[in-house]
């Protein structure tokens, strides 16, 4: 998808865990940025009309035989270059210097001091700075034309060849621990590269809508809607481009949250004016899920069933519209980056974040208008599109829905029990004003029964666990220290209002070692 603005910064990924952060920092300057795998060809890079290139860090050593390698021609494109950590080593190694294992590895906080003549990368920054290091190699000899711009107590921390417009730093300017990192990246993107800070939500929408319109022409597109932020924003964006040539399909798989099937329909048809087909396939899904307890089995059944239902609908819609050519997906940047690893774009996307392999089976061409964006940027786009806050602020919900929060067998009765408990959790968290600050908060129905006493009666009923986590991207998470009074209200309401649950426990496991979902 062509979402270009007047200029961009391209980041070549050598496998660093921080590559996403680099892109993010550049976007915070309102400069369009895209991450490509380091194996990208010069043509692929140039297609993005970059004003500058950033070479990311990475876990390998440049002198290893299987070290990730970019085409050395990228060093001679005439574009300003910024190497970060491994990026520095790559530049040194390929321009005639030497890199070797460091005498003293540097991990974590360090102080660097600028040395030598002024260089634009450090303009306006103090001479001594706290930075974040994470490396075990060092540049020993610099390539011709380079000089040292900064030093740590152990090694060089920055180099430059202003003539060739190449800068590199040993530390990580993208992480928050590097005190002046954002300023350094600003110097690179705006001052050195001269990129125009015109990447705004409004600009993005105009460009994307125009480009979708051109691509799709008179064709027809389908969008599988989950009711979540990503697919809703993607659908609204595409609908703005092609109107009724887009049909959204929303499937009730029997494991949605309480009233969700109706609420989502109201939101999408009413508030967003989307052309929506809602399919109640709940019986069909629940019948397939009967007597299945294995988590992966549940996921597979739901994935497979979804494809069948979607396929049937697609065939019907194709008959009415004379054919369907496109599939809209709300893929985000973090999903893409997982695939755009150093091994090239075809490697892996976390399987559970795929929409069940729809494109391969249906031979549809993909429209992924959000694939360059982070979640909060998607929310900003949604806001600019005038979408209501209660859609944009929704917490993530897994594709297999409540099925992976019902441990053991998924029966209609157990779904109903969990739906009630989940509604109470969400309601109380919202009333406490915490919903927007928490990544996910939900209830889990355990296959554990315990003894209790209610109104002088002995009870023997199910246990429910409450889970609430803070997370940036779902990859790691911390359990939330919810106020005791809030936990007390949630527990009290659940045992009083939900028949079938007589005990509530709170999950105090972070990720790792736990996962966010229980299955
Ligand atoms: P875990 O449980 O792996 O979850 O720590 C990380 C994030 O992914 C969501 N999740 C899923 N999303 N299909 C999805 O679409 C799935 O099968 C699935 N499993 C987990 C989870 O809710 C969390 O946000």
């Amino acid at each position: 998808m062509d979402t270009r603005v007047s200029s961009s910064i391209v980041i070549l990924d050598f496998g660093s865990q921080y590559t996403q952060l680099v892109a993010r920092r550049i976007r915070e300057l309102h400069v369009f940025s895209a991450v490509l795998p380091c194996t990208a060809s010069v043509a692929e890079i140039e297609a993005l009309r970059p004003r500058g290139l950033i070479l990311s860090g990475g876990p390998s050593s440049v002198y290893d035989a299987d070290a990730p390698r970019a085409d050395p021609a990228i060093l001679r494109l005439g574009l300003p270059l910024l190497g970060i950590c491994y990026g520095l080593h790559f530049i040194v190694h390929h321009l005639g210097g030497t890199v070797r294992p460091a005498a003293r590895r540097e991990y974590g906080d360090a102080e660097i001091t600028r040395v030598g003549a002024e260089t634009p990368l450090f303009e306006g920054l103090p001479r001594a700075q706290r930075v974040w290091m994470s490396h075990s190699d060092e540049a020993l000899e610099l390539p011709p034309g380079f000089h040292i711009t900064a030093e740590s107590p152990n090694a060089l921390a920055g180099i430059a060849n202003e003539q060739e417009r190449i800068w590199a730093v040993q530390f990580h300017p993208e992480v928050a621990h590097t005190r002046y990192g954002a300023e350094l990246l600003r110097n690179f993107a705006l001052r050195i590269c001269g990129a125009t800070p015109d990447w705004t939500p409004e600009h993005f929408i105009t460009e994307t809508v125009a480009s979708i319109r051109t691509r799709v022409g008179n064709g027809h597109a389908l969008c599988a809607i989950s009711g979540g932020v990503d697919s809703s924003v993607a659908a609204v964006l595409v609908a703005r481009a092609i109107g009724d040539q887009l049909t959204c399909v929303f499937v009730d798989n029997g494991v949605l949250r309480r009233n969700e099937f109706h609420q989502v329909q109201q939101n999408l048809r009413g508030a967003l004016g989307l052309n929506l087909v809602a399919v109640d396939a709940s019986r069909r899904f629940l019948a397939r899920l009967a007597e299945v307890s294995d988590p992966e089995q549940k996921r597979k059944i739901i994935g497979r069933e979804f494809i069948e239902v979607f396929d049937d609908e697609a065939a019907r819609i194709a008959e009415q519209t004379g054919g369907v050519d496109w599939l809209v997906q709300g893929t985000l940047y973090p999903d893409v980056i997982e695939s755009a690893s150093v091994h090239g774009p075809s490697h892996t996307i976390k399987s559970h974040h795929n929409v069940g392999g729809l494109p391969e089976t249906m031979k549809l061409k993909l429209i992924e208008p959000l694939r360059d964006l982070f979640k909060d940027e998607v929310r900003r786009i949604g806001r600019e599109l005038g979408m209501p806050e209660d859609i944009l602020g929704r917490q993530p919900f897994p594709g297999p829905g409540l099925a992976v929060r019902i441990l053991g067998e998924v029966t209609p009765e157990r779904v109903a029990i969990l739906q009630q408990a989940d509604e109470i959790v969400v309601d109380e968290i919202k009333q406490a004003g915490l919903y927007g600050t928490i990544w996910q908060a939900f209830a889990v129905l355990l296959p554990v029964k315990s003894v209790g006493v209610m109104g002088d009666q002995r009870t023997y009923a199910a246990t429910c666990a409450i889970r609430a986590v803070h997370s940036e991207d779902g990859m790691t998470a911390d359990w939330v220290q919810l106020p005791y009074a809030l936990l007390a209200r949630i527990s009290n309401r659940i045992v009083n209002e939900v028949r079938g649950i007589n005990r509530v426990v709170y999950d105090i496991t972070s990720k790792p070692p736990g996962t966010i979902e229980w299955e």
Side-chain angles (χ1 to χ4, degrees):
M1 178 60 43
D2 186 350
T3 54
R4 287 177 292 179
V5 283
S6 58
S7 52
S8 74
I9 301 289
V10 167
I11 301 156
L12 289 186
D13 181 27
F14 289 93
S16 164
Q17 55 180 321
Y18 302 131
T19 306
Q20 283 187 58
L21 266 182
V22 183
R24 201 197 157 86
R25 296 286 172 252
I26 300 295
R27 284 165 194 285
E28 283 168 1
L29 302 168
H30 300 295
V31 172
F32 177 73
S33 76
V35 172
L36 294 178
C38 62
T39 49
S41 67
V42 167
E44 282 171 298
I45 295 170
E46 286 185 330
L48 290 162
R49 294 188 300 198
R51 297 292 286 264
L53 273 184
I54 297 180
L55 311 187
S56 84
S60 311
S61 292
V62 272
Y63 45 78
D64 286 346
D66 59 352
R69 201 161 167 273
D71 181 347
I74 60 154
L75 301 174
R76 311 247 181 233
L77 292 178
L79 289 171
L81 276 178
L82 173 65
I84 296 175
C85 196
Y86 182 95
L88 179 149
H89 303 152
F90 183 85
I91 290 167
V92 170
H93 187 69
H94 287 280
L95 291 179
T98 52
V99 176
R100 60 155 196 192
R104 295 185 62 158
R105 302 191 307 177
E106 293 181 306
Y107 286 104
D109 185 56
E111 183 166 270
I112 60 155
T113 312
R114 290 165 48 196
V115 293
E118 290 293 328
T119 192
L121 191 67
F122 287 129
E123 203 163 312
L125 272 59
R127 283 206 83 72
Q129 302 162 40
R130 309 291 323 172
V131 301
W132 187 257
M133 294 279 192
S134 179
H135 68 109
S136 56
D137 283 341
E138 66 180 0
L140 186 62
E141 281 168 46
L142 296 188
F146 279 77
H147 64 97
I148 295 177
T149 57
E151 285 173 341
S152 75
N154 302 311
L156 64 83
I159 58 171
N161 178 342
E162 282 87 0
Q163 197 116 29
E164 298 288 332
R165 300 207 293 168
I166 300 178
W167 287 262
V169 288
Q170 184 60 78
F171 56 91
H172 287 270
E174 67 275 23
V175 304
H177 305 72
T178 296
R179 173 67 185 81
Y180 294 98
E183 287 82 352
L184 186 150
L185 290 170
R186 173 190 296 270
N187 279 343
F188 180 70
L190 303 186
R191 203 180 285 271
I192 295 176
C193 300
T196 320
D198 58 3
W199 193 87
T200 59
E202 194 190 351
H203 195 130
F204 172 85
I205 292 167
T206 316
E207 292 270 313
T208 309
V209 164
S211 137
I212 293 172
R213 211 172 269 150
T214 314
R215 263 182 100 197
V216 175
N218 294 324
H220 200 92
L222 285 186
C223 179
I225 285 267
S226 69
V229 182
D230 310 342
S231 59
S232 304
V233 173
V236 170
L237 205 47
V238 175
R240 193 166 276 199
I242 59 170
D244 276 355
Q245 286 163 255
L246 170 71
T247 308
C248 300
V249 180
F250 176 49
V251 177
D252 185 349
N253 58 11
V255 279
L256 298 178
R257 282 168 288 199
R258 196 171 182 200
N259 290 331
E260 190 159 30
F261 190 52
H262 296 291
Q263 254 163 26
V264 169
Q265 286 184 63
Q266 261 175 10
N267 278 339
L268 298 184
R269 280 208 193 97
L272 304 180
L274 291 174
N275 176 13
L276 179 76
V277 175
V279 189
D280 181 356
S282 52
R283 278 165 192 260
R284 187 172 155 169
F285 278 85
L286 290 174
R288 296 275 193 281
L289 285 168
E291 294 177 27
V292 177
S293 293
D294 177 69
E296 282 313 302
Q297 197 65 23
K298 288 180 188 172
R299 280 201 167 83
K300 278 203 190 105
I301 290 171
I302 292 172
R304 218 181 305 134
E305 207 57 28
F306 182 83
I307 290 174
E308 274 186 27
V309 173
F310 192 80
D311 238 351
D312 290 350
E313 284 311 310
R316 242 177 21 80
I317 294 163
E319 233 167 68
Q320 290 165 3
T321 60
V324 172
D325 327 86
W326 301 88
L327 180 72
V328 179
Q329 283 191 330
T331 318
L332 300 196
Y333 196 52
D335 308 327
V336 177
I337 196 69
E338 280 186 5
S339 66
S341 71
V342 288
H343 304 290
S346 64
H347 213 58
T348 43
I349 296 181
K350 260 199 292 183
S351 64
H352 68 227
H353 290 153
N354 265 339
V355 188
L358 284 175
E360 293 89 58
T361 56
M362 300 180 62
K363 308 268 181 290
L364 296 177
K365 289 173 276 184
L366 274 185
I367 303 176
E368 296 179 305
L370 311 178
R371 61 179 284 125
D372 292 321
L373 308 186
F374 291 94
K375 191 105 183 169
D376 59 336
E377 292 169 327
V378 170
R379 291 200 166 108
R380 243 175 287 145
I381 301 293
R383 231 160 260 144
E384 186 72 30
L385 286 164
M387 294 172 63
E389 279 306 312
D390 61 331
I391 297 182
L392 298 178
R394 295 186 80 174
Q395 293 178 353
F397 187 64
L402 298 179
V404 290
R405 295 180 182 168
I406 296 176
L407 277 70
E409 201 189 340
V410 179
T411 62
E413 297 73 32
R414 296 188 80 209
V415 171
I417 289 175
L418 185 58
Q419 282 177 333
Q420 289 174 59
D422 174 76
E423 189 174 56
I424 292 170
V425 173
V426 173
D427 183 42
E428 287 296 333
I429 297 263
K430 278 187 176 163
Q431 286 203 35
L434 295 175
Y435 185 81
T437 66
I438 290 174
W439 173 262
Q440 274 172 299
F442 54 88
V444 182
L445 186 61
L446 306 187
V448 174
K449 282 189 164 183
S450 73
V451 172
V453 54
M454 284 167 108
D456 294 333
Q457 296 270 344
R458 179 185 186 278
T459 59
Y460 186 56
T463 306
C464 158
I466 308 302
R467 181 97 167 119
V469 294
H470 286 308
S471 177
E472 287 282 317
D473 50 16
M475 306 294 285
T476 59
D478 291 316
W479 64 275
V480 181
Q481 304 204 7
L482 289 178
Y484 280 176
L486 173 59
L487 285 170
R489 269 198 306 279
I490 291 173
S491 159
N492 198 275
R493 278 194 60 192
I494 290 178
V495 290
N496 278 300
E497 295 175 31
V498 184
R499 257 172 217 279
I501 296 178
N502 69 348
R503 190 176 294 271
V504 178
V505 297
Y506 190 49
D507 182 353
I508 52 169
T509 321
S510 288
K511 173 183 179 176
T515 50
I516 295 176
E517 305 292 344
W518 274 45
E519 287 196 335

